[in-house]
Structures are given as C-alpha cells and as structure tokens.
Amino acid sequence: MGDPPSSPDPAQERRASQASNRRRSRESSQAQVSFPDDVQLQGPQRGRQGSRTSGAGLGQTDAQRAPRPSLTPRGSQGQEDQPRGPVYPSGLPSGFQPPGYVAEGTPQHLPHAQGLFQQLQPAFHDPSMDDLSQLNFYQKDQVQFSQSTQQGFYLRDDVDLHFSPSQLGSMSPSKELPEPEPLELAVQNATAYLMQKGDNNDISLYEHLVNLLTKILDQRPENPLSILESLNRTTQKEWFHPKQDTPQIDPEMQHTYETAEKQMALFRQGDQETEEEMADGPVPDIMEAAYYFLQAEVGLGLDESSLIFLALKQLAKQQPVRTCRFWGKILGVERSYLVAEVELPEGEEEAEEEEAEEEELEKTGDAPPRPQWKPPPAVPTEDSGSGANKYVYFVCNEPGLPWARLPPVTPAQIVAARSIRKFFTGRLDAPVVSYPPFPGTEANYLRAQIARISAATHISPLGYYRFREDRGRDDEEVDDEEKGGGGRDSCERNPDFEGIPVYELVTSMANWVHHVQHILPQKSCTCRPGPPAWPAATARSMPWPSYVPTSGQGPSPTPLAGSVRISTLAGVTRTIRRTSTRPCHAQFNRSTPMVPRSGKWTTPRWKRSRP
Amino acid sequence: MDADNLLLSLELASGSGWGLSSFRRASLLASLLLVKRDYRFDRVLFWGRILGPVADYYIAQGLSKDLLAPRKTLYSLNCTDWSLLPPATEEMHTQTAVVSGLFMGDPSHEYEHAELQKVDDGEKVFDEEVVMHIKEETRLVSVIDQIDKAVSIIPRGTLCKTPFGPTHVNRTFEGLSLFEIKKLSSYFHFWEPTDLKNKTLLEKADLDPSLDFLDSLEYDIPKGSWSIQMERGNTLVVLRSLLWPGLTFYHVPCTKNYGYVYVGTGKKNLDLPFML
C-alpha cells in the first residue's frame, strides 16, 4: 500500500470539500450526538458491504478518489460500490461532520469523533478486510483532525493531492474509476447545496433540518405532520435565541416581583396578631361574606378576598378606625379600585375642607358694571359623620398597595355626577373631562358615585336595623322639629332581630328596606334651610318618584316591583313605624337643575355595591 | 372558557366581580361533558351568562374541528339541561334591534312591538298599527351572535391555519410574553376576518400567513374600547370590553391559559364614545 499514515488526509479532504463552510461546534456536536443510533444502524450495513465501511462519508469520497492511479488489492471489492449507493442518503447525516471542520473548540469534539469512530469500528465484520490498515486509518484520523483545523481545507487538499496520490489506493473501491458514479455525484451535489449558508443566516438548511429532525425524534409528538410548520418555526427561533443557562433575573418581571413582595408583606403582618385581636378588631369577617357572595354568584373569588381581608387589617392598623368594611370594587380602564368604607371615631376626623375663596373684583373707575345676578348659594357640604359623608372611604388599586383617602363629597359634585357618564381610569388625580363640567378630579367623581350607589342600593331585611334609642320615639314630630330631622340618620343593629324566612324575603319586596339615607335633589341628605323635613327616603315607594326614568333603556318600575332579585334594579319600599312624611319643600328644587334620573339606570356595570 | 379547564378559568376570571356557586360549577362540569358527547363537539366553551331580573341564561358553545366554522350555541337555565339555539340570521338582527331593555329570563316570553306600517288598500293609503311578536329566544340568539362577532378574542398564535384550509389549535403556542401582552395587536377576534383584505400590501408583508389570518384588536372602532389591565399582582392580564360591558378576557402570560367569558345584561354600551 502506499502511504497508510497519510492516507486519511485526502480522504478527509474529500469530505471537507463537500461541506464548503464551517460548522458551528454546537450544531455538529448536536448532530453527532443525535444520530449515534443511526450510525450504529448504518454500521452493520456498511460492514456487510465490505471494507469500505469506514463511515458512509468515507464511502462517498471513494468515488472522488477514483482518479487516483494507485490501486489496492481492494479493487476486487469495487463491485460493492454500487450497493453502497443507497446508503449514502441515510448515511449522510451521521456523519461525517468531522471535527476537523470545526473552527473552534475542536478538542471538545475529539471525544465525539472518537465515539463515532469507535462505533463504526465494530461494524466492520468483514474479516477479509485489511483490518490493520483500517485501524491505523482511524487512529490517524483522530490525530489528523486535531491538526487540520488551522489550515485551509482546499489548500491541504491540493497539497495532498500532489504528495500522496498513492494513499487512496487503500480506499478506492475499484481499480480505476474514470469518473464518479452519476448517482453519487448527484448526491454529493445535493448535499453540498443543502449545506450552503445563506447570506444572512449562520445556519444552513442542512443544519436546520438536522435540528428539526432531532427535536422531533426526541420529543416524539403525536401527529408530527400537522405541526410541522410550527415546529419548524420554533426550531429556528431556538437557534437564534438559545435558552441561557445563567440565572438572570428577567427585567420584565421586576414589577411582578415587587408586587408579589408587597403582598407577602401583607401576609407577614398578620402573623403578629393574637386570636383575640382578630376577633374583636374593627374588620369584619370578609371570608365568610365572600363565601356567601360566591354562593350568590357574585364576588371576587376567595383568593382575592383573603388578600383584601389582609389589606383591610393593614388599613385598620394605620388609621384609627372604629368600623371598617369592604365596600366593593370599581373597575377602571387602566386600573381598578378597591373601596373600603370606614367609620372614623368622632373628633378624629380631619376636616379636609377646601375653602373656596371668593374672588373680589377690584373696583376701578372704568370697570364695566358688575352684574346683578348672584348665583344661588351653594349648598353647604354635609359635615363628616352625617348624611352623605357619614363614612370615610379609602381606595387602593390592588391589595398590598397603600390606601388613599377620598375627600368628602359636596352637593355640587353629586349634581354633576348625576349628569355625566364617564369611565374611571384608575388614577385618582386624572381630570374628568365632561359636559357639564365636573368640579373636581377623578377622586371626587369616584367619591360622588360611591355616595350615590350607597344611598340607592344599600338595603337590609326589615327589622335588621333600628334607630338609635336615645332620640326617643314618643314625640317624634316635636323632636324632629327641634333637631331638624337628624334623629334618623344613625341606625344600629337590632339585637332582637329574629330573621325572616327566605321564602318571604324572596316573594315580597315589603321585607326589604333601605337603611342608608337617600340623597335629595339638592344632593344632600337633609333639607336646609327651610322647614324641617324628614329625609326624603321615608315612605317613598320608589327611589325617585318624581323622576321617572324616561329613557327606553331603563327598565320600567312595574315589572321589577314584582321581582325580588337583589340587584341595583330592585325597587324597595321602606316602612317605618310611623310614616308621617313631610316631603322636602321644593325651595331649592327650582334652582338646582333637575335632571332625568335615567342616568342612574344606565349606570355602567363598572359600579357595584356590596352591602 | 374551555370546559376542560373550567375551574381554573373561573378563578382567573373572578376579578370582574362574578362567580359561580359550587353547585353550579359541579353541574356545569358534568353537563358540559355530556353535551360534548351528545352533539359530537370537538371543544365546548362555557360562553357566559346573560342576566335577567328573574332568571339567568347560561350559554355554552360547541366548536367543531375547524375552529372558524359556525358554532352551535346552547342555553340553559339551571346548568343541567341544555337546549340548542338556532343559528343567527340577518333577519333576526333586524327584528330584534327594536327590542330594548333587559332579558326577562323566560325563553318563551314574547316582546310586543307595535309598528306603523303603510298599508295600501286600493286607493287609500293609511297607516296601520302592526304588532309584532318577537320571541326572547330570537333576541338571545341575536345578542349572542353580536357579542361573538364584536368582542370574542383569542391571543395571537393560538390558532394556526394549515395549507389545507381548516384552522386548528397551535400546539406549540406557549403563551404571550410579558412584552406582548400589553399590546392590542397581540389579540385577535375569534371570528371570520373582515378587515384583512383592506390592508395595504405593506402591512400584509409583515404578517405571517399561518398565524396572522384574523382581525387584530388594534383597528377596532372606537379606539379605546378595550381596557387592558394586569391583575393578581401582575401575573394575569385581563382585557375588558367597554363596548359590551361584561365581557372579560383573561390570559396568564407565558402559559397556555386563556379564555373569555361574558357576564352581563346583553346590552351594548352605546354611550361609549362619551364615556372615554
């Protein structure tokens, strides 16, 4: 034989010439690792076919080596060239992507290469082969591979051509093939084409297909044909965005983690309380209420309710509250509001009264005549602790975030709120742009809507609440005249309440009453000044008898009077022990704009009340 | 919401303020399974609830293998017995457009609508009052169809169109990333596309034909009719329609959980442009 030690070189060069580009180390190792079974499968086949089975890749090169003049005793095995044809396509992938082609990290691939070679070696069962030469070939291959990285392939190719024409003799399949077999040539061309790299990509179609098939074989999805396109896309994506091993914290998740930490803080604050504190605290048992609401198919879910419970306890710690209640949730466009209804003890309320300073026009000689018209006196805001400002409301966007206090509501704001319909954005300082113009920001609008909802929809079974006893019940008229009807604005739970059977509650409206004062047309709960009058909520059969919801959208009262579904649409009667009524005189009704209450019926479902 | 993961979906959608009692949930699970078997549906969705003063309608929809094919709608008053509704037609839409107000909760209820029609009687032409009776079922069908067309949505990438025609679920959809969830263009209408042909070639060049074959929410009119929020401490994205208040879409980013449900009175919010 010619020069066995150097015989591998041109062989390898042949293979190198087929792949005209460098491979990525990752991909080649992937390919090598992924098809060890294929290689093994191919092994026996090649073994059967004779000595040339030093890898299918090698087999292809035989054809190219054919022009070499020297022949080996293996010429007799040339006839086996043909049967090896079909091996090529399947044998291709196993390939021989010899580590020599790898630009970087070659030593890493030596083990792979060795592994491959070792697999191939036992495949050769043909005893007639010149085993020794084969073994020598392989061992030298490994050495050669490590050395071949530095030099250009074609250069080596040419050089070796000149120097060792005779080595090929051991590998050439036949005596002297004048030209490569057309089939093999076609296959080689096809492979070379597949292994081309595009202009922009770093990956050739060949490598991509290798990755794709690897993935499919690893994952073995059902019906792979139907998801082939998606897999294709995913494989491509993965190539360019590999999953990193380093545990970096995703900057996008930062906000999520912060919110989660705030919620964890909520849980930790609860650990310090004792059981007695929890039972007697100002915060009622939200979880029980949430459970009942869930059975009524209304509510925020038990997880959310538990977070709200903890947030309310946090509020109770921060503010000196007497009682505290979860009023509900108002949905907004950007964020939502969780509303808590709080009763502060008397004397501790901060009066956040914005005093509007009247501008005084300076009189100059040439000033135009001042108009004689004076606007009607603004209806004064009710004091904290009475009427519409009986409770103080706190809002937050999510449980765990700090609570913000809402300012007390003024009658002018309620007037305006009745005339407009706007979504809440979720930011308390957002302006409310509307016509007629709303005097205030979103915080005021929110507070006005909360006041309206509370006044209209907070109901309870008849007898559940009763008025405070200290006002006396005998001389009601006298008392009320003296005290301006203020005796009816506070009620307390009736300890003698025995409960009303569900059947009666459901079938008749008479058993339900409002326990919150109604808002009068001038938007406060008491008429003033003028003759003393009762809060207008007494003995009214409908919330606003003088204002008929005229729009076609609003449900007409009649069918609903028969319905007892407890919703914002229910018309409820209030029956009091003595129903002497003094309707509020219309002294101010003329001056304040009376607007049809249809706006109330079409209140967006964003607003919910949870008594 | 898919009937297969009903419980999780109910939890995720609970931020809108409604839920189902434990009895209803249990009966839904069982009855939807039977519906799927009886009608040979590929997927069954719990579409939602239409509220009425006396009773609510619970609506379910069944889908066949081709997810964009016309769906079958069923309704029930107690979540155990389901009745099939007829498919919606244009006639129904025009007929029921005159009815307003809440649903009664009684499927056999008939609305009376009096119209003045010109009747030509020989020489005279006079107006005659014609009273039309519109059944509540018809109205229900029409409203459900309108809601579906307008506001039923899915994330981009969940449906995949094959070259053979039918659309099916994309198995490799892993959820929207945190970057994509805040954008309206990541959500599509779950209905036959109407706007695609009107797009310019430049716009179409950026689309992926296997994934971007539905109308996206970006071009919805009026602008701003969707509210996108993160709930549950930023782990859940919720889209609420402002045009049909009551429709909630939820999705947990980077997972396969998503769904939409409608709980409302079936009233379109015609004041939307004034409220924004």
Side-chain angles (χ1 to χ4, degrees), chain A residues 230 252-253 255-256 259 294-295 297 299-300 303 329 332-334 336 398 421-423 565 604-606, chain B residues 11 14-15 17-19 21-22 24 49 51 53 56 58 170 172 178 227 229 233-234 242 271-272 275-276:
Chain A
S230 328
E252 291 172 344
M253 297 283 288
H255 184 54
T256 317
T259 322
L294 197 61
Q295 298 304 313
E297 307 197 336
L300 290 176
D303 313 333
K329 179 173 178 179
V333 175
E334 291 170 27
S336 304
E398 273 215 35
R421 271 188 88 185
K422 292 292 280 183
F423 283 125
R565 307 247 318 172
R605 284 182 63 82
W606 297 108
Chain B
E11 275 298 314
S14 62
W18 66 277
S21 71
S22 29
R24 289 240 197 271
R49 212 161 101 196
L51 307 173
D56 294 341
Y58 294 86
N170 180 9
T172 60
L178 283 170
S227 130
Q229 285 179 35
N234 231 27
L242 304 179
D271 291 341
L272 177 64
M275 296 176 73
L276 286 175

Side-chain angles (χ1 to χ4, degrees), chain A residues 47 70 77 199 215 274 340 377 431 437-438 462 484 548 558 560 579 590 596:
Chain A
S70 64
Q77 296 169 2
D199 295 328
K215 190 174 171 139
T274 61
F438 184 80
L462 174 63
V548 178
T558 326
L560 285 186
T579 57
R590 270 178 256 125

Side-chain angles (χ1 to χ4, degrees), chain A residues 95-243:
Chain A
F96 270 73
Q97 289 163 11
Y101 297 146
V102 176
E104 65 268 17
T106 320
Q108 302 168 8
H109 300 282
L110 276 181
H112 295 295
Q114 288 167 8
L116 265 179
F117 291 137
Q118 282 154 14
Q119 286 162 5
L120 289 169
Q121 277 182 340
F124 302 144
H125 304 307
D126 194 343
S128 64
M129 284 188 340
D130 200 350
D131 290 340
L132 283 177
S133 65
Q134 293 272 343
L135 289 171
N136 286 344
F137 172 88
Y138 284 130
Q139 285 155 10
K140 270 146 201 171
D141 274 355
Q142 296 161 14
V143 171
Q144 299 282 344
F145 286 162
S146 58
Q147 290 167 358
S148 66
T149 48
Q150 298 305 319
Q151 310 174 20
F153 303 115
Y154 297 116
L155 189 59
R156 281 197 60 173
D157 191 322
D158 291 336
V159 165
D160 287 341
L161 263 178
H162 296 307
F163 286 138
S164 54
S166 57
Q167 312 151 8
L168 301 172
S170 60
M171 313 307 295
S172 73
S174 55
K175 275 208 175 184
E176 197 164 324
L177 285 178
E179 59 186 27
E181 299 274 330
L183 184 62
E184 290 171 19
L185 187 61
V187 167
Q188 288 158 28
N189 286 342
T191 321
Y193 168 70
L194 286 178
M195 289 179 176
Q196 263 175 17
K197 282 198 180 149
D199 295 328
N200 303 330
N201 310 337
D202 297 347
I203 184 174
S204 70
L205 176 59
Y206 186 83
E207 293 164 19
H208 174 68
L209 284 174
V210 162
N211 293 343
L212 182 61
L213 288 171
T214 313
K215 190 174 171 139
I216 292 182
L217 286 169
D218 282 342
Q219 295 180 358
R220 308 267 168 168
E222 283 180 17
N223 202 4
L225 179 59
S226 62
I227 52 174
L228 186 61
E229 287 87 11
S230 328
L231 279 177
N232 183 28
R233 192 163 309 281
T234 319
T235 315
Q236 272 183 339
K237 239 197 282 181
E238 272 174 16
W239 176 260
F240 290 105
H241 300 284
K243 294 208 169 122

Side-chain angles (χ1 to χ4, degrees), chain A residues 23 62 132 253 313 328 341 408 526 558 592:
Chain A
R23 305 251 180 279
D62 297 343
L132 283 177
M253 297 283 288
K313 283 213 281 196
E341 187 181 76
T526 51
T558 326
T592 53

